Amino acid sequence: ITSWGREGECDAMRNMLTKYPKGAVACVSDSYDIYQACEKYWGTELKSLIEARDGFVVVRPDSGKLPDIVLEVLDKLAGKFGTSQTPTGHKLLPPFIRVIQGDGIDINSLEMILNVMTEAGWAADNLAFGSGGALLQKLHRDTQKCAFKCSNAMVNGASVDVVKDPITDPGKKSKKGRLTLE
């Protein structure tokens, strides 16, 4: 997504949907602004593509404060796609849109997120969990502030600077441009 640049983010998402019209497509959506991605891109500009898919889209916030970010993303998507009610009375997004949370997941945060979702009336079926470094020994790219990310790409023969800059976690902003080791 970031190789398309901030201005091309929605086009990159559209490209994923058209290149992979069937099955599950998961997409990191916090490269710049998770809220804009949920409301403007997924929930407006790409909504008809998502609804027509033979499969589902999984929105992935990869930064933000737990458990708040999960509820915020669910609420933003519900505002655009609506919800139905499960037999137990919980809110459920339509079958073509879901959320996955991988950042910061360990056994304690998983339970905390599910409890907060239940309290807020959300069905657990809306959310899948990834297994990031927090499930290991809590020494990972976020705690060490070291991650290898794409910083420059060749697009149609032109050098393009690439950066991730999530509004929900300024500490995850990446370096951009062609980097050298001197």
Side-chain angles (χ1 to χ4, degrees):
I1 299 295
T2 55
S3 66
W4 290 61
R6 188 181 301 267
E7 301 78 25
E9 184 177 28
C10 186
D11 290 333
M13 293 169 170
R14 181 180 290 106
N15 182 63
M16 283 184 57
L17 295 177
T18 55
K19 294 278 187 195
Y20 306 101
K22 295 181 180 183
V25 170
C27 184
V28 172
S29 300
D30 74 325
S31 296
Y32 307 106
D33 186 337
I34 183 67
Y35 308 115
Q36 178 172 282
C38 290
E39 292 182 310
K40 184 176 178 188
Y41 302 153
W42 298 127
T44 302
E45 293 183 36
L46 304 172
K47 185 177 181 184
S48 61
L49 280 173
I50 293 169
E51 292 172 334
R53 281 181 58 77
D54 181 12
F56 56 98
V57 172
V58 185
V59 176
R60 182 177 161 201
D62 199 36
S63 61
K65 182 177 182 281
L66 292 177
D68 305 350
I69 192 64
V70 172
L71 294 179
E72 291 165 0
V73 167
L74 288 170
D75 288 338
K76 299 283 185 199
L77 294 173
K80 293 297 185 172
F81 292 99
T83 61
S84 61
Q85 199 170 58
T86 67
T88 58
H90 294 88
K91 296 177 281 189
L92 184 63
L93 290 168
F96 47 76
I97 189 99
R98 290 291 186 263
V99 177
I100 185 168
Q101 179 65 40
D103 186 50
I105 296 302
D106 63 22
I107 192 67
N108 298 316
S109 63
L110 193 149
E111 182 178 10
M112 172 186 61
I113 292 166
L114 289 173
N115 287 337
V116 170
M117 284 177 64
T118 300
E119 291 168 13
W122 284 103
D125 193 38
N126 289 293
L127 186 67
F129 291 97
S131 57
L135 286 176
L136 299 172
Q137 63 280 78
K138 294 260 186 187
L139 294 173
H140 47 77
R141 66 183 192 171
D142 294 340
T143 58
Q144 301 302 301
K145 295 292 183 200
C146 179
F148 292 92
K149 304 250 181 213
C150 177
S151 63
N152 185 272
M154 293 298 288
V155 179
N156 296 323
S159 178
V160 177
D161 289 347
V162 177
V163 66
K164 179 176 180 171
D165 189 11
I167 64 166
T168 51
D169 190 348
K172 284 193 171 183
K173 182 176 182 176
S174 64
K175 305 273 189 222
K176 69 177 176 179
R178 186 136 189 238
L179 307 176
T180 62
L181 186 59
E182 313 246 342

